[in-house]
Amino acid sequence: MPPAVKEEGKAAKLALMKQMLYDKVRETGREDDLFTQEDLLALDVIPNRDMVLLAETVQALSDDKLFVTMREAGGSFSWKWRDAQEAHKYKQCTTEEQSMVYSLIDDSGGDGLWSQTLQRRLNMHDTVLKNALKQLQTKGLIVPFKNVEHPNKKMFIKASIQPSDRATGGPWYTDQNLDEAFIEELQRVVFDFIKRQSSYISRHGHDSRTQKMPKKGVIKGEDRGKKRAASEMEEPAPKAAKTTAISTPRKDVLLPLPAGFTGYPTVKDIARLLSSSGITNNTILTEMDVKKLVDVLVWDNLIEPIRVGGKTGYRVSRVAKQSTQGWAGREDGVDGNPEPYISPYTEAPCGRCPVFELCEDGGPVGPSNCEYYAKWLGEEEEARQ
C-alpha cells in the first residue's frame, strides 16, 4: 500500500476515534467532570484498549481545544471536555499568552478578573499582558466592565456571558450606582402589603347620640324663632341652652389579627405580588432578592417574622400604632409613614452599658456624670450650644 494512502487511512481512523470518544464523553459526563486514562478506556471506544491510539486521540482532541488537560497533585493526568463553540473561541487565540489569559478569564465566570490578578497569576510582563488583552478584545472574546465591589479596578469578563449579580450589584444597581429610590419604593409596597395582610381595620363610626340639625334654617334655643341667613345654613348651629350631648367620632384604627392566624404573607407571596404589580419595571426579582428587602424592614423594626403552620410569615411590629393610610401611595409620607418598634430598654444606654456594674451615685461612674446618658438625653448638644 502506498505511504500516502496509508497516511490517509490512519488520519480517517483517528478522526473517527476522536469524534466517537468526544461524543461518548459528552453523553456520560458533565462539562466539569474529569476523566482519567482508565475512564476513557472504559468507554469501549478505543479497540483492544490500544494505549497508543488512545494517546493519539486524546492529543488530537486537545489540539482542537475540545479536551482540557488537568494535572493532578500526584503527577497523573485527567481530562475534561469543552463545548465545541467554546473550543472554537480558544482556537482563535493565536499565541500561548492569549490562551493563558483567556483561560483565566473564562474560569472566573460572571465575576470577571482584575488585570493585576492576571499579571500576578501568570507572572507575565506588563507589556505582554496588555498586548494579549488588546488582541482578545479585538477578536471579541473578552470585554472590560465595571465591578460594583471594585469600581476603581480594571476588570475583564468573557464577551459571551453576563456579569454576575455580585459583580453588577444585581437588581439594586443601575449603571453601577445603587438605585436607592427604587429600593425605597419597593420597601414601601412590601410594608403596605404586609400591613394589609396582618391587620384589620376597626371602624368605630359616629356615636348614635348626635345633635339634630335645625329644620328650615330656624335656630333653636335662646334665639328661638329667629331665622338663619342663607350663608349660615351650612354652618353648625349656635350652642343651645339645652342640647343633647355630642360624641366626637373616633378615627379608624388597625388591630392585630387573632392568635393562631396562619395567613401572614411569606417571601414567596411578596415576590408574587411584586412580579404581578409591574412596579419592578422589567427587573426580575428572585425570592432571594425579595428576602433581602424583607430583612431590611425587619432590621428597621417595622415588621417581624412569625412561624405559623411550618412556614415563616411576616406581620407589622406595632399594628395598633400604624396608620390606616398607605405608605407607598403618599408622596409626603406623613399619614402612612410607618412607626417602628423602639424599646426603651434597648434604646437607653443603661441597657447596653459596658460599665453597668460600676455605676452608682458618688462612684467613678454614675447617673449624674454619665456621658452616655447625657448624650442620649441631648444634654451634650445643649451644653455645646
Side-chain angles (χ1 to χ4, degrees):
M1 181 181 295
V5 176
K6 188 176 180 179
E7 287 296 325
E8 288 180 4
K10 183 179 178 181
K13 181 180 179 180
L14 182 60
L16 178 61
M17 290 295 102
K18 183 178 70 173
Q19 189 62 48
M20 290 176 61
L21 185 61
Y22 180 70
D23 292 341
K24 198 68 174 181
V25 167
R26 290 192 61 179
E27 292 174 4
T28 57
R30 297 171 307 195
E31 194 170 358
D32 55 350
D33 287 344
L34 295 178
F35 293 84
T36 63
Q37 177 179 284
E38 189 59 35
D39 292 333
L40 296 176
L41 289 173
L43 298 176
D44 293 329
V45 173
I46 306 298
N48 303 320
R49 297 175 64 88
D50 189 336
M51 298 297 296
V52 175
L53 181 57
L54 175 64
E56 292 176 346
T57 305
V58 170
Q59 184 60 50
L61 288 167
S62 299
D63 292 341
D64 288 342
K65 310 299 182 182
L66 293 171
F67 266 22
V68 182
T69 304
M70 312 293 293
R71 186 167 186 170
E72 299 179 0
S76 59
F77 292 92
S78 58
W79 297 267
K80 64 179 182 178
W81 65 274
R82 180 185 283 138
D83 182 77
Q85 291 184 351
E86 288 298 316
H88 176 69
K89 295 175 183 177
Y90 273 87
K91 292 183 72 173
Q92 292 181 257
C93 300
T94 53
T95 64
E96 187 64 24
E97 291 79 12
Q98 292 178 25
S99 296
M100 291 189 296
V101 171
Y102 184 68
S103 179
L104 284 181
I105 295 176
D106 186 10
D107 292 339
S108 68
D111 291 339
L113 208 59
W114 186 24
S115 58
Q116 291 191 17
T117 302
L118 285 167
Q119 188 173 29
R120 184 173 63 253
R121 290 186 183 179
L122 297 175
N123 195 24
M124 191 177 292
H125 192 274
D126 183 60
T127 303
V128 177
L129 176 62
K130 288 182 178 179
N131 182 62
L133 290 171
K134 182 179 179 181
Q135 292 299 322
L136 291 172
Q137 290 182 71
T138 302
K139 296 173 182 179
L141 297 178
I142 65 171
V143 291
F145 81 108
K146 289 184 179 180
N147 189 314
V148 295
E149 291 185 336
H150 312 289
N152 297 323
K153 293 182 178 180
K154 192 171 185 179
M155 309 288 291
F156 292 91
I157 193 173
K158 282 179 61 178
S160 58
I161 65 174
Q162 292 290 333
S164 65
D165 287 347
R166 176 182 173 182
T168 62
W172 316 127
Y173 280 75
T174 302
D175 297 330
Q176 285 75 47
N177 295 316
L178 184 65
D179 197 340
E180 297 182 3
F182 178 62
I183 297 173
E184 290 176 2
E185 185 64 21
L186 289 179
Q187 286 180 326
R188 291 169 181 265
V189 174
V190 170
F191 177 81
D192 281 350
F193 176 66
I194 295 176
K195 183 172 71 172
R196 291 194 304 269
Q197 299 298 317
S198 61
S199 63
Y200 70 96
I201 297 178
S202 174
R203 302 187 182 281
H204 297 287
H206 295 271
D207 198 297
S208 57
R209 298 172 298 171
T210 57
Q211 180 185 13
K212 293 182 179 181
M213 296 300 292
K215 297 180 179 180
K216 296 182 180 180
V218 178
I219 300 177
K220 295 184 178 181
E222 296 178 351
D223 299 326
R224 170 179 276 179
K226 181 180 178 182
K227 291 187 177 181
R228 302 169 65 194
S231 61
E232 300 173 334
M233 292 296 290
E234 296 298 327
E235 298 177 1
K239 184 177 180 181
K242 294 182 179 181
T243 59
T244 306
I246 301 176
S247 296
T248 304
R250 291 179 292 174
K251 294 183 178 180
D252 297 339
V253 296
L254 291 177
L255 295 178
L257 294 167
F261 179 73
T262 59
Y264 294 108
T266 63
V267 170
K268 187 174 183 179
D269 298 328
I270 299 169
R272 190 182 298 115
L273 165 77
L274 295 177
S275 177
S276 60
S277 66
I279 191 175
T280 57
N281 295 326
N282 299 323
T283 300
I284 299 176
L285 296 180
T286 64
E287 289 189 20
M288 184 64 68
D289 295 329
V290 176
K291 180 66 165 56
K292 293 176 182 179
L293 282 174
V294 172
D295 286 343
V296 173
L297 293 173
V298 172
W299 294 330
D300 288 342
N301 293 320
L302 296 177
I303 63 174
E304 58 187 3
I306 180 169
R307 190 76 178 174
V308 178
K311 61 183 181 180
T312 301
Y314 295 89
R315 63 185 180 188
V316 288
S317 299
R318 294 164 62 86
V319 176
K321 295 291 185 179
Q322 304 299 339
S323 169
T324 57
Q325 301 292 328
W327 183 23
R330 297 186 59 87
E331 295 182 357
D332 53 17
V334 177
D335 292 344
N337 197 45
E339 181 174 339
Y341 176 74
I342 299 176
S343 171
Y345 296 104
T346 57
E347 289 298 310
C350 303
R352 53 179 185 272
C353 180
V355 291
F356 184 78
E357 300 296 332
L358 304 177
C359 183
E360 61 178 353
D361 287 333
V365 178
S368 60
N369 62 358
C370 177
E371 59 177 296
Y372 305 111
Y373 209 77
K375 183 178 181 180
W376 183 56
L377 294 176
E379 295 178 358
E380 188 178 79
E381 294 296 328
E382 293 178 2
R384 292 177 182 176
Q385 296 176 358

